[in-house]
Amino acid sequence: MLGLSYRPPLEIGMKCYQCDRPAMYRVADENIPLCLHCFGIYSERLDMDFFKNAVMMNNAVDSMELSTGIALGGGRMPIAEIARAMQKPQAFNNIKIANSQIGVVNTGSIEKIDAAITLSQGSDVEIAARGIKNLTQSVLDAEDLLKEDKQEVVDLIESLSSELVGSRKKATVFAILKEIGARVGEFASTAKAFNELHSVLSALF
């Protein structure tokens, strides 16, 4: 549905059209560069447009039957099944999120982090991705972090994970890492995971 059969390669260091994250995809006829996060939003928008069109098609068939008095006997899109398929699962490949944590942080951000961790498997930044996984989990599980602080940290981790599977600019990586450290470095629940990630990234870069 996205029409991504072919897209010109992305230049190293190319930024997303919508934000400052590294671009990972090209979309639409204009080959617009998007990062992992914005591509997810774009995909969701297309899915919602398709769903609305399906509802309108069903309504048109109902209107035709009502006006003609002739049952067409089919031609309707399976709206309920499509809606169920579009629902986001709360189970991720790498990160565990409890029901009590839903609503505390944006699960869309967690989904992007989880996807980046999966993408890094088998690459030279896989060990860093494990550190990101541990830090993300410690932030989600932390009882001494406020809800607002958790979301800010998760957003920063999302940016860091996108950078690691994207352009991997050292200055950007450590700028984001510094911001994360300022928020979690002094909490017992998250300091260990942060320090371990910092050590891994320092060794890689």
Side-chain angles (χ1 to χ4, degrees), residues 129-192:
R130 288 200 296 269
I132 286 177
K133 171 185 175 181
N134 293 336
L135 178 59
T136 303
Q137 195 67 60
S138 69
V139 169
L140 291 176
D141 297 340
E143 297 181 355
D144 47 359
L145 280 176
L146 297 176
K147 175 181 176 180
E148 296 77 10
D149 294 334
K150 284 190 176 185
Q151 184 58 59
E152 287 186 6
V153 175
V154 166
D155 288 341
L156 288 167
I157 296 175
E158 179 192 342
S159 297
L160 179 61
S161 62
S162 296
E163 187 68 26
L164 284 177
V165 297
S167 58
R168 304 184 191 179
K169 291 184 178 179
K170 179 178 179 180
T172 303
V173 167
F174 283 96
I176 299 172
L177 195 62
K178 182 179 179 180
E179 291 296 321
I180 296 174
R183 290 165 172 77
V184 305
E186 297 182 357
F187 291 94
S189 59
T190 53
K192 180 180 178 181

